[in-house]
Amino acid sequence: MRRTTTRPGSLPAGPAPADGTAQGPFAQSPAPPEQTVPDAVGPAPAPSASAAPAGQALRTEFPFELPRGYVDDSGTVHRHGVMRLATARDELIPLRDIRVQENPAYLSVVLLGRVITRLGTLPLVHDGVVENMFASDLAFLQDFYRQVNAEGHTRAGVTCPHCEQPFEVELGGSRLGES
């Protein structure tokens, strides 16, 4: 990632203007206040369909509880986890995976392996963990992924031209990673 500001003290020392403002090609604007993202704790509420109110930090991690749980090699059941928001890169990189190219249904497994950041006491969550989950847990995670990442952007409010009743339609794709 490219750094856009310099660290304090890394600029060459020199006389500062009387009004306290920086000048020259290395002038540094005041740093914006840091935004913090609160750690997600507790059960996962359903993501709302509206954007975060102004002034509120963007929530990027969402806790979940699997219906059955992932059973690791030692027999330990892992049910509580955290999923982060997906990036465009998260949705593009799996398309290069040979397993996804040979079987498009594998896309959701690879994608979920990228965005699940924690699951129980497992040190690492990857597509191998996801592919060994029970089908009901995989279906739960696919639906949770859609809820977390859609944030209302794939639904549109429309009105029936005949009866004039309002309703919502889904504009996005039907599979994970599809739009």
Side-chain angles (χ1 to χ4, degrees):
M1 183 187 307
R2 179 181 234 173
R3 184 180 298 269
T4 56
T5 60
T6 57
R7 293 184 186 158
S10 65
L11 295 176
D19 65 358
T21 60
Q23 296 178 349
F26 298 107
Q28 186 175 4
S29 61
E34 288 188 23
Q35 292 184 347
T36 58
V37 178
D39 288 334
V41 178
S48 65
S50 61
Q56 185 176 353
L58 175 65
R59 185 171 174 201
T60 61
E61 290 192 330
F62 301 86
F64 62 83
E65 182 177 346
L66 295 174
R68 297 200 190 271
Y70 169 73
V71 182
D72 66 16
D73 294 335
S74 67
T76 305
V77 179
H78 304 272
R79 294 185 70 197
H80 298 276
V82 176
M83 182 183 294
R84 66 172 171 79
L85 287 176
T87 64
R89 183 181 196 93
D90 290 325
E91 292 202 352
L92 292 172
I93 286 186
L95 297 175
R96 294 188 218 154
D97 191 307
I98 190 72
R99 298 167 296 180
V100 174
Q101 291 173 358
E102 291 176 357
N103 181 2
Y106 206 77
L107 173 62
S108 65
V109 172
V110 177
L111 187 52
L112 288 170
R114 292 182 61 86
V115 298
I116 297 172
T117 58
R118 279 181 286 205
L119 184 59
T121 58
L122 293 175
L124 178 65
V125 181
H126 51 81
D127 53 7
V129 170
V130 177
E131 71 184 357
N132 287 306
M133 288 183 175
F134 295 112
S136 58
D137 289 334
L138 179 61
F140 168 83
L141 288 169
Q142 289 170 331
D143 185 52
F144 191 66
Y145 176 93
R146 281 187 211 92
Q147 290 176 7
V148 164
N149 288 285
E151 284 288 311
H153 297 292
T154 61
R155 291 193 180 130
V158 295
T159 304
C160 176
H162 301 291
C163 67
E164 298 187 9
Q165 290 294 317
F167 63 97
E168 286 187 342
V169 294
E170 181 69 34
L171 300 176
S174 60
R175 292 193 322 241
L176 208 56
E178 180 182 83
S179 49

